[in-house]
Amino acid sequence: MSAAPDHAAGRERRPGRGLVLPAVAALVAFLILIGLGTWQLERLAWKEELLARVEARVHAPPVPVPPPELWPKLTREADEYRRVQVRGTFDHGRETLVYTVRGEDAAGPVKGQGYLVVTPLLRPDGPPILVNRGFVPSDRRDPTTRAAGQVTGEVEVVGLLRLPEEASWFVPANDPARGGFFRMDPAGIAAARGLSGAAPFIIDEVANAVPGGLPLSGGTRLAFPNRHLEYALTWYGIAAALVGVTAAFLWTRRRNGGAG
């Protein structure tokens, strides 16, 4: 009488059966890493285009400031850092101090904590425009300590058009009630100073000879972080390492017959 077939033996684990799930998981992770690296390369192309655009704008001949009917259409892509010019009279009695720190990499001897002096420019032919006249150290925040720089009469301002600074976790919120300003917010500054219909942008005045030397103009930072290539190579490197580790793992498991 023949022996009954051993069905248990027929159900013996097939080699490689336990490798499918790890392989699929590794493939998904690999695709995600490649996607992140490719996204960083796209960001790199965008950042390089931005830098080239800004470089061209800041060295172009100045053009008149956009008229009020165009203000709602201004965008960062098309108008930020445009070199403009405008004439008017400074209203020093309504200047606003915006706290900042002038780093060691800044040009000139004046560094450290201080303020950007934002002064309304009153125009006979249009609404007022806020002008960032430049930096003053903390011990010169009082206008009487820099009276020579409070120029009077009609002036021509040449500078870079700047749209409102975006809010950041690292910068305190402005507190107009207490006179505390930490970022450039033209609408908020204009409201605090009673300037009706003021422009929704600020002009960063280019470097010029101010009587007495303060405010120190021309301090617009044009350095944009650009580490996208580094980030892309990091993601691609992790993806390559994942391939190596996964290949070694699968080969070892398969050589051992799929055993854990």
Side-chain angles (χ1 to χ4, degrees):
M1 185 172 179
S2 60
D6 187 353
H7 295 289
R11 293 195 300 269
E12 182 181 352
R13 179 190 291 183
R14 297 172 185 173
R17 184 176 180 182
L19 304 181
V20 175
L21 185 58
V24 170
L27 176 61
V28 171
F30 174 79
L31 293 176
I32 292 174
L33 292 168
I34 292 298
L36 289 171
T38 302
W39 175 67
Q40 286 295 337
L41 288 181
E42 293 172 351
R43 294 283 294 174
L44 173 64
W46 167 81
K47 181 60 68 67
E48 290 179 340
E49 180 184 357
L50 170 65
L51 294 174
R53 190 163 60 238
V54 169
E55 185 70 16
R57 287 177 189 168
V58 299
H59 293 105
V63 298
V65 294
E69 58 267 23
L70 295 182
W71 291 352
K73 302 177 182 179
L74 297 177
T75 65
R76 297 190 187 280
E77 292 74 16
D79 302 288
E80 186 91 68
Y81 297 103
R82 184 192 299 183
R83 194 178 180 94
V84 297
Q85 62 184 12
V86 63
R87 297 191 67 86
T89 304
F90 284 126
D91 184 355
H92 297 293
R94 288 192 280 185
E95 75 175 23
T96 298
L97 300 177
V98 179
Y99 177 80
T100 189
V101 176
R102 189 170 170 83
E104 291 300 320
D105 58 337
V110 184
K111 297 179 174 62
Q113 299 185 58
Y115 301 88
L116 296 174
V117 179
V118 179
T119 307
L121 185 74
L122 306 183
R123 304 185 294 157
D125 57 348
I129 295 178
L130 294 171
V131 177
N132 171 15
R133 300 190 60 218
F135 177 85
V136 294
S138 296
D139 60 353
R140 303 291 293 277
R141 62 175 295 169
D142 187 338
T144 61
T145 65
R146 44 183 168 85
Q150 306 294 81
V151 294
T152 60
E154 189 178 54
V155 296
E156 180 177 77
V157 173
V158 176
L160 305 180
L161 188 151
R162 302 295 309 278
L163 294 174
E165 287 184 325
E166 297 179 346
S168 169
W169 289 102
F170 306 102
V171 179
N174 289 342
D175 186 1
R178 298 185 178 182
F181 289 88
F182 303 92
R183 67 181 180 90
M184 292 294 186
D185 174 19
I189 294 174
R193 297 294 175 259
L195 296 168
S196 177
F201 54 83
I202 289 176
I203 296 177
D204 277 0
E205 193 169 10
V206 299
N208 62 356
V210 177
L214 292 175
L216 185 62
S217 56
T220 303
R221 291 183 60 86
L222 297 176
F224 301 92
N226 187 10
R227 303 180 63 186
H228 298 295
L229 180 58
E230 176 185 338
Y231 296 151
L233 293 177
T234 298
W235 289 122
Y236 287 148
I238 296 175
L242 176 65
V243 169
V245 170
T246 302
F249 170 78
L250 295 178
W251 181 81
T252 301
R253 290 288 298 272
R254 187 170 183 82
R255 186 183 64 175
N256 296 335

